Amino acid sequence: MNWKAVAAAAAMAGMAFGSVTAAEGTHDSRIALMKQIGGSAGALAAIAKGTKPYDAEAVKAALTTIATTAKVFPDQFKPGSDMNDPEVSPKLWENMDDFKARAAKLSTEAETALAQLPADAAAVGATVNTLGATCGGCHKAYRLKD
């Protein structure tokens, strides 16, 4: 078991949780959570590309982070939160049910992959493609680029 990967994931989750609870619903809290998902997706992509060796514990940690973070991400967009965030489309608040469904889909996809743990780089690549399509769809609908 790769305890370093597990410890690193737990430390990252703890840091992000602390920063999110300090200023929930702000641009910075949203970015902190997205960085967790992005970092986990990057770790999976490195395995899929072969730039990092396959490590089941690292895959588990990344998928767990994506699943749990996607579940709580919509909480950053409650009424009264920062609706003037320059990276968030006003459409998000108009279509909150769709946004929540997209986040739930990402979480479910990560949980499904975790339950059927990808056993090699090719399987991790297929998982990255699935998760990436879901992430990209939400970004296309609700993220504004500067």
Side-chain angles (χ1 to χ4, degrees), residues 51-124:
T51 58
K52 296 279 184 184
Y54 176 83
D55 178 342
E57 293 305 316
V59 172
K60 285 179 189 177
L63 291 171
T64 299
T65 297
I66 292 169
T68 57
T69 304
K71 281 182 186 174
V72 300
F73 191 62
D75 294 341
Q76 298 302 306
F77 298 89
K78 292 179 180 173
S81 66
D82 184 4
M83 296 178 83
N84 296 311
D85 190 324
E87 292 185 30
V88 180
S89 171
K91 293 177 192 175
L92 184 142
W93 281 274
E94 297 166 11
N95 300 301
M96 185 57 72
D97 288 341
D98 178 64
F99 175 67
K100 288 179 178 179
R102 289 172 184 263
K105 180 180 180 197
L106 177 62
S107 181
T108 299
E109 288 172 349
E111 288 173 343
T112 298
L114 190 57
Q116 303 167 356
L117 191 64
D120 58 24
V124 171

Side-chain angles (χ1 to χ4, degrees), residues 8 17 23 26 37 39 42 46 48 51-52 56 68 70-71 98 104 118 129 135-136 145:
F17 179 75
T26 65
I37 291 174
T51 58
K52 296 279 184 184
T68 57
K71 281 182 186 174
D98 178 64
N129 289 340
C135 289
K145 303 238 178 182

